[in-house]
Amino acid sequence: AQLGIDAIWLSPVCRSPQDDNGYDISDYRDIDPLFGNLNDMEELIAEGKKRNIRIILDLVLNHSSDEHPWFIEAKKSKENPYHDYYVWRDGVEGEYPNDMRAAFGGPAWEWVPELGQYYFHQFSVKQPDLNWDNPKLRQEIYDMILWWMDKGVGGFRLDVIDQIAKEPDRKITNNGPKLHDYIRELSANTFQKGDLITVGEAWGANTENAKLYSAPDGSEFSMVFQFEHVENGSGDYGKWTTEKYDFKEFKRIMIKWQEELQGKAWNSLFLGNHDQPRSVSRFGNDNPAYRETSAKMLATCLHMMQGTPYVYQGEELGMTNVYFDKLEDYRDIESINFFTELTESGLMTPEYIMKCLMLRSRDNARTPMQWDDSAQAGFTDGAPWIKVNPNYKEINAAQQLADPNSIFYYYQKLIRLRKEKDIIVYGGFEPLYRDNEQIFAYIRRLEQEKLLTVCNFSDKNAEMEIPEEFKGAECLITNLDRTVFEGKTVLKPYEAFVLYKK
Ligand code: GLC
């Protein structure tokens, strides 16, 4: 509430064996005892309402846990009414229906000897894919969503939603031909009956299909998470690389999404989440000399764009990657599986993949929230499920709340500015210095108003000229101590500022 946010997106909290941190749900209508119970959830929703904060649930609809009663039934026989809730192919042991691979490594097919069939799983073996071609399954899902809406949740984040219309025989995972029909049916039967924020997670989103996903007529979702800007820098083995991201490419992608969605769809703005490394470590600089400045710069760049900004927990404190250097410290199934797969196949040495994990593992973002400098960063007085980042003594919420210049208060100010100035929400977007290799700058315009955002993404000084039309403009926010905002100037490393003129 103090930060000024309007909603909290919770990672999955439904009952789950936690094979993939709750993205494997065994009961969609209950809370996992790890986190509490349904009463706690109702209380959270009610307390949120008092503060105008919506609770957004993470809906995992592409797959369930293999411990979900539907799957337990489905496995009993081909005649079982739940059998067709999942995706099966007849076959013989050892001869997979095709060579599709699962996102967490290994084949996408798992043999069930009792049935003489394989089931399809795009993620782990404990996450069997649901069969959206079955109308009974779809109806069960809608009923469950309506049940949560009835409890007063303020929205949903739809996990890997672009993968629900898979067609494994044609090796189609994302963007299957029936995808938008399914989403429209889902939305009409559920979301459109309430006042909700919905955001679809779509690894296969592009600026064309985004116009469907977040069509202004509300027929699908409020917006989608696209991943082009965070996929940039992937190598031959996907994200498992030590290459740094390419700034110019990153900027090109961000600008493309701003320009192409204007007036046609709505952007979601993020630099980090539970699947990505910490944004300050990746796009900024987590060296103590630059951590604070670069975290504020990144926040400036993102918050002044058109779209809905998402702040991943701890980002508002400038939390950094944890850089675990021992495999035993990792908990994430993806990191552990790929370590094994890439080393056993001889494609990478253990030393090299450890370096990749340190930069790219999802666990970098999953260490406990750093509340204060007491044991376990004040997260628990027990033993946390994953180690706390050792830098919690310097980086924690208590310290930042006591420092008026902290990253926390900077985010608070950015969020307040978005609420005060319509131009930040509605203004048109115009990039400046497209080809500059250090600076990301853009202008927003709304009738007579204009806003200039300037960010130096590099650890070097950068030269630029502030456009004449901003002469005499008001500085809304800056992360360093600049007082002159005219003419030719030199930006310091990671410097950022925003000018406003009417
Ligand atoms: C999404 C989630 C990720 C999860 C995967 C499978 O990408 O964000 O954490 O592992 O889907 O559900």
Side-chain angles (χ1 to χ4, degrees):
Q2 199 176 345
L3 195 56
I5 50 122
D6 307 294
I8 297 174
W9 152 28
L10 291 179
S11 297
V13 290
C14 286
R15 200 175 268 273
S16 159
Q18 306 290 331
D19 184 54
D20 179 24
N21 290 88
Y23 284 97
D24 47 315
I25 294 177
S26 56
D27 186 348
Y28 289 92
R29 298 186 195 215
D30 200 5
I31 300 297
D32 196 275
L34 259 180
F35 306 118
N37 57 36
L38 271 179
N39 290 335
D40 297 327
M41 184 52 130
E42 280 167 3
E43 191 183 335
L44 177 66
I45 294 170
E47 290 298 319
K49 281 214 172 106
K50 286 188 202 156
R51 296 164 179 80
N52 284 322
I53 295 177
R54 291 161 179 260
I55 303 301
I56 297 190
L57 284 194
D58 209 322
L59 271 181
V60 188
L61 305 179
N62 176 67
H63 44 269
S64 73
S65 161
D66 65 340
E67 296 179 35
H68 192 289
W70 295 338
F71 192 71
I72 296 174
E73 285 299 310
K75 250 182 22 179
K76 287 185 178 160
S77 79
K78 293 184 192 169
E79 288 70 45
N80 189 290
Y82 291 97
H83 186 73
D84 191 46
Y85 275 35
Y86 295 87
V87 181
W88 302 92
R89 293 294 177 269
D90 292 332
V92 270
E93 190 171 6
E95 277 177 42
Y96 297 111
N98 61 28
D99 62 359
M100 289 177 82
R101 309 283 295 171
F104 297 152
W109 300 100
E110 182 71 5
W111 178 243
V112 178
E114 310 89 274
L115 297 179
Q117 285 191 310
Y118 286 91
Y119 67 84
F120 182 62
H121 61 94
Q122 301 188 63
F123 295 90
S124 91
V125 278
K126 288 187 65 63
Q127 293 166 297
D129 267 64
L130 288 164
N131 175 19
W132 274 72
D133 293 336
N134 182 336
K136 266 175 59 195
L137 165 88
R138 301 206 299 273
Q139 191 56 51
E140 289 231 34
I141 287 178
Y142 307 156
D143 293 346
M144 175 271 289
I145 296 175
L146 292 170
W147 184 85
W148 277 114
M149 285 171 60
D150 213 45
K151 295 225 173 293
V153 302
F156 298 100
R157 178 259 190 195
L158 291 297
D159 189 61
V160 291
I161 199 68
D162 65 334
Q163 292 172 224
I164 58 172
K166 55 246 160 187
E167 294 197 4
D169 300 317
R170 298 163 65 198
K171 299 197 187 175
I172 293 174
T173 54
N174 315 86
N175 297 327
K178 284 177 270 181
L179 178 63
H180 292 278
D181 291 340
Y182 287 157
I183 295 177
R184 281 192 284 263
E185 186 191 280
L186 161 72
S187 175
N189 280 284
T190 58
F191 314 141
Q192 289 173 42
K193 298 181 196 274
D195 163 34
L196 296 174
I197 298 172
T198 52
V199 51
E201 186 206 23
W203 292 81
N206 54 43
T207 50
E208 278 317 302
N209 61 29
K211 292 172 198 157
L212 295 175
Y213 285 124
S214 75
D217 67 2
S219 55
E220 298 198 10
F221 304 129
S222 316
M223 62 198 125
V224 268
F225 287 127
Q226 62 86 16
F227 293 91
E228 278 191 70
H229 64 308
V230 290
E231 289 277 277
N232 146 35
S234 293
D236 290 349
Y237 304 106
K239 70 195 235 181
W240 307 115
T241 166
T242 53
E243 287 293 309
K244 249 197 97 134
Y245 86 107
D246 174 343
F247 169 65
K248 277 186 75 180
E249 182 60 7
F250 168 84
K251 184 165 81 168
R252 186 190 65 75
I253 295 166
M254 296 296 279
I255 291 174
K256 178 181 77 176
W257 279 84
Q258 288 290 304
E259 291 186 319
E260 292 188 20
L261 264 52
Q262 270 185 84
K264 300 187 183 116
W266 193 247
N267 270 293
S268 57
L269 306 170
F270 72 96
L271 292 175
N273 65 26
H274 64 295
D275 292 330
Q276 302 291 329
R278 288 280 173 184
S279 55
V280 68
S281 301
R282 186 171 184 197
F283 301 109
N285 188 327
D286 62 13
N287 183 308
Y290 291 130
R291 186 184 62 89
E292 206 175 300
T293 312
S294 69
K296 291 175 179 173
M297 180 280 288
L298 292 172
T300 313
C301 186
L302 205 73
H303 279 73
M304 294 298 123
M305 289 188 179
Q306 188 174 66
T308 299
Y310 287 77
V311 181
Y312 180 65
Q313 53 96 350
E315 178 187 314
E316 76 286 10
L317 310 176
M319 275 177 64
T320 67
N321 278 355
V322 65
Y323 301 116
F324 287 139
D325 57 5
K326 287 194 242 24
L327 191 64
E328 306 88 85
D329 289 336
Y330 287 90
R331 296 289 176 270
D332 167 32
I333 180 170
E334 181 192 56
S335 305
I336 298 169
N337 285 2
F338 274 100
F339 180 91
T340 314
E341 186 160 314
L342 292 166
T343 50
E344 281 179 359
S345 60
L347 289 170
M348 282 184 191
T349 62
E351 294 71 34
Y352 183 74
I353 176 91
M354 276 318 292
K355 281 192 194 145
C356 300
L357 290 182
M358 286 166 79
L359 295 173
R360 303 299 294 273
S361 168
R362 309 195 293 184
D363 278 341
N364 281 306
R366 295 176 179 191
T367 59
M369 175 69 178
Q370 292 164 205
W371 295 109
D372 57 34
D373 63 5
S374 68
Q376 313 291 11
F379 180 78
T380 174
D381 46 24
W385 66 285
I386 189 169
K387 281 189 182 164
V388 172
N389 191 316
N391 64 19
Y392 73 91
K393 295 231 157 141
E394 296 80 55
I395 305 173
N396 61 65
Q399 168 267 326
Q400 300 231 349
L401 288 174
D403 170 10
N405 286 319
S406 66
I407 302 172
F408 177 90
Y409 289 119
Y410 194 91
Y411 267 84
Q412 186 188 52
K413 185 166 181 191
L414 286 170
I415 294 168
R416 197 179 61 232
L417 284 172
R418 290 185 63 93
K419 293 185 176 168
E420 286 168 5
K421 297 250 179 292
D422 276 358
I423 185 170
I424 306 174
V425 179
Y426 302 107
F429 176 93
E430 229 174 79
L432 265 189
Y433 310 120
R434 261 181 214 269
D435 295 319
N436 191 294
E437 304 201 344
Q438 296 167 280
I439 301 171
F440 196 151
Y442 54 86
I443 296 177
R444 305 283 308 275
R445 291 186 200 277
L446 187 69
E447 290 164 18
Q448 300 315 307
E449 294 173 79
K450 51 192 159 199
L451 187 93
L452 169 69
T453 301
V454 173
C455 297
N456 179 1
F457 269 70
S458 78
D459 61 359
K460 311 246 166 3
N461 287 343
E463 287 174 24
M464 74 168 289
E465 187 165 352
I466 297 175
E468 185 64 27
E469 58 170 318
F470 281 90
K471 214 170 170 184
E474 173 195 353
C475 173
L476 294 184
I477 193 164
T478 171
N479 64 350
L480 290 172
D481 44 13
R482 171 180 293 269
T483 50
V484 179
F485 298 95
E486 277 179 26
K488 285 208 162 90
T489 187
V490 176
L491 302 173
K492 292 191 184 141
Y494 303 109
E495 181 167 1
F497 58 82
V498 179
L499 302 183
Y500 171 76
K501 202 168 170 192
K502 223 181 179 153

